[in-house]
Amino acid sequence: MTRLNIGLVVALLAVAALSVAAGKVWVPWDAWTATDPRSIIIVELRLPRTVLALVVGAALGLSGAVMQGYLRNPLADPGLFGVSTGAAFGAVLALYFGYAAQMWLLPGFALVGAGVTMALLALIAGRSGSLILFTLAGMILTSIFGSLTSLAISLAPTPFVSSQIVTWLLGALTDRSWDDVKVAAPLVAVGAALLFATGRSLDALTLGEQAARSMGVDPARLQWLVIAGVALTVGASVATAGQIGFVGLIVPHMVRPFAGHRPSAILLPSALGGALLLTLADALVRIAPTVSELRLGIAMSMLGGPFFLYLLIAMRRRLA
């Protein structure tokens, strides 16, 4: 377990270095000095983008691992709760009404959307902590906010606004600055602390709801920790990078064979693996031989779609 985490950290440092140097214009190692004019590319463009990729990737990987443990469903993903689509809808409203020109308003709207979704999820699911009711509530909210987002696109006041909304929804880390890091990092840190606090309860939940209750697990408290943690981590990620899917689905499956099947054991490796995957993917879309940079959300969907199909086929074979 320790070896896995150390290996992931070493790989993460190597990929982060690659991300800082890589791009349509590669920055050589000898340019990493304050006296070299090219250093501004590193300090103001590459470094904040790399740090944000690390933060967002860790947030999505960790939230996916917690959701799979809480719902006891290996196909669970942060988008299932509706927090991602709720945050996206909040950001879409900011773009729709032209508030995105103010630096803090778009992230603020996205976080409000995530918070409203969190409150509705708790209201619909109630205090019972029922996993089935919780999942259904998430699916309902995902459908509602997804349809409202489509409505906003179709009723956009100008074609430019419509194009801006669609482009933002595709997800990317292009043109991100230290201001975006300042928005995401504290919120992700608080959300991650809440999600790590669920570890022992998730382990007990593998024995069943009744057994977990007998071991002292409070379902309502656990539900609130999961809702608040996922809302903060996913909401902050969507607020700064748009919708980037499948990280929370892919990473826990990749680390589980090495970390074991105990939910608490895969939380830290999933956070490190998520940061590694998203940072590597962001570096690859920058150096890909395309006329314009491929959107990171599209790249992750191209990777995650076949992976999801593979999981479904493998699950069907096990059940047959």
Side-chain angles (χ1 to χ4, degrees):
M1 183 65 182
T2 303
R3 291 181 179 179
L4 173 63
N5 291 330
I6 293 175
L8 287 172
V9 170
V10 172
L12 200 55
L13 292 175
V15 170
L18 170 67
S19 176
V20 172
K24 299 296 184 184
V25 177
W26 285 73
V27 180
W29 296 104
D30 58 3
W32 292 34
T33 60
T35 57
D36 194 304
R38 291 172 295 181
S39 63
I40 193 171
I41 299 177
I42 297 174
V43 175
E44 298 298 332
L45 297 178
R46 300 283 174 81
L47 269 178
R49 181 169 180 168
T50 299
V51 172
L52 191 61
L54 295 172
V55 171
V56 171
L60 296 177
L62 175 60
S63 60
V66 170
M67 288 182 59
Q68 291 180 16
Y70 179 69
L71 299 176
R72 287 171 286 171
N73 184 347
L75 301 180
D77 182 79
L80 180 64
F81 280 173
V83 177
S84 179
T85 50
F89 177 64
V92 165
L93 287 180
L95 293 168
Y96 184 91
F97 291 109
Y99 296 147
Q102 301 294 325
M103 181 179 64
W104 294 98
L105 283 182
L106 190 145
F109 269 68
L111 290 172
V112 169
V116 170
T117 306
M118 179 187 70
L120 291 175
L121 189 59
L123 182 64
I124 297 173
R127 298 181 179 180
S128 64
S130 170
L131 297 178
I132 296 177
L133 189 58
F134 193 75
T135 304
L136 290 175
M139 293 175 63
I140 292 170
L141 292 176
T142 299
S143 176
I144 291 174
F145 284 117
S147 61
L148 289 176
T149 299
S150 299
L151 179 64
I153 294 173
S154 63
L155 297 179
T158 65
F160 173 76
V161 172
S162 177
S163 175
Q164 192 178 23
I165 291 174
V166 172
T167 301
W168 186 86
L169 287 174
L170 293 177
L173 296 174
T174 309
D175 300 326
R176 298 307 189 264
S177 67
W178 288 112
D179 291 328
D180 297 291
V181 175
K182 292 176 183 178
V183 171
L187 296 170
V188 168
V190 174
L194 296 177
L195 294 180
F196 276 117
T198 65
R200 292 186 178 181
S201 298
L202 295 179
D203 289 344
L205 200 60
T206 59
L207 303 175
E209 290 186 56
Q210 295 301 322
R213 289 174 185 269
S214 67
M215 296 173 66
V217 174
D218 183 354
R221 177 180 178 274
L222 176 59
Q223 183 184 90
W224 272 106
L225 284 174
V226 173
I227 291 176
V230 171
L232 286 170
T233 52
V234 177
S237 300
V238 173
T240 52
Q243 283 190 297
I244 299 175
F246 292 105
V247 176
L249 173 69
I250 296 173
V251 173
H253 285 277
M254 295 178 66
V255 303
R256 195 171 283 120
F258 305 99
H261 294 273
R262 191 160 49 92
S264 62
I266 69 169
L267 296 186
L268 181 57
S270 292
L272 295 174
L276 176 63
L277 175 62
L278 199 65
T279 305
L280 178 61
D282 185 52
L284 292 178
V285 297
R286 272 185 279 158
I287 63 178
T290 55
V291 176
S292 59
E293 183 178 307
L294 179 65
R295 307 296 290 187
L296 184 58
I298 296 176
M300 291 308 304
S301 296
M302 292 172 63
L303 176 64
F307 187 85
F308 186 75
L309 180 61
Y310 162 77
L311 291 178
L312 287 176
I313 294 174
M315 183 176 294
R316 180 185 178 188
R317 288 177 177 174
R318 286 196 300 268
L319 294 175

